[in-house]
Amino acid sequence: MPREEADAALADLADLILNVGRLVRARTPDESPGVVPLTETERQVMRVVDLHPGAAPSEIARRTRLQRTNVSAALRSLESKGMVSRAATVGRGVAVHPTELAASNLRVLRAAWARELAGGLGDDLDAVRQCTGLLSRLERQLTADEP
């Protein structure tokens, strides 16, 4: 495959990923009972906290590619919403953990996301697993320490 064709295919994939994410989010019930509304920055931070409980704020900043000051502000807001707890670690370190409210919030959202995707993809579980594997690999690559 020529380089231009490969670049176009990858750009099309990136565009679709961004748009599908936006469409799913637009159809997710932010004001439903059991859902704590979050800003985009708070969502990014919560994803890392959910996937890496006990992460330090510096690790959260690295994994989200957000400025440390923005992560700190998001963590303060998430703590005030009851979504995260912070605990001191050895030295001056801090470990951030999701709360039960955050776990409940995520369960509600995941159920809503599953309903949104079920209509078009629910009967093709092998393709869903392949796509999930591909996107997981891409996420790991994009959050790796080295570009």
Side-chain angles (χ1 to χ4, degrees):
M1 177 184 291
R3 182 78 255 156
E4 286 181 18
E5 192 176 337
D7 287 350
L10 291 168
D12 288 346
L13 176 62
D15 183 51
L16 283 168
I17 290 168
L18 292 168
N19 196 47
V20 168
R22 183 189 62 78
L23 291 169
V24 170
R25 179 151 295 132
R27 296 172 63 119
T28 300
D30 265 355
E31 279 92 41
S32 292
V35 175
V36 176
L38 302 177
T39 67
E40 184 59 35
T41 300
E42 290 169 342
R43 284 186 195 110
Q44 291 177 32
V45 169
M46 277 309 308
R47 176 159 173 72
V48 172
V49 171
D50 285 328
L51 292 174
H52 305 280
S58 58
E59 180 183 355
I60 295 168
R62 181 185 60 77
R63 288 181 180 275
T64 58
R65 302 287 197 253
L66 293 170
Q67 291 183 4
R68 176 69 195 268
T69 55
N70 293 342
V71 170
S72 294
L75 286 172
R76 281 191 302 277
S77 178
L78 289 165
E79 197 169 30
S80 73
K81 292 177 179 182
M83 299 290 285
V84 299
S85 64
R86 295 191 255 191
T89 61
V90 176
R92 294 176 24 132
V94 173
V96 181
H97 294 275
T99 63
E100 181 49 44
L101 177 60
S104 172
N105 200 58
L106 186 56
R107 283 190 297 273
V108 171
L109 290 172
R110 287 177 59 85
W113 298 336
R115 282 191 303 275
E116 286 302 320
L117 298 183
L121 302 174
D123 60 343
D124 197 354
L125 200 51
D126 287 338
V128 169
R129 287 184 177 129
Q130 276 188 305
C131 186
T132 301
L134 174 70
L135 292 174
S136 294
R137 191 173 86 214
L138 181 58
E139 181 182 46
R140 282 190 304 277
Q141 175 188 336
L142 293 172
T143 58
D145 288 337
E146 295 298 319

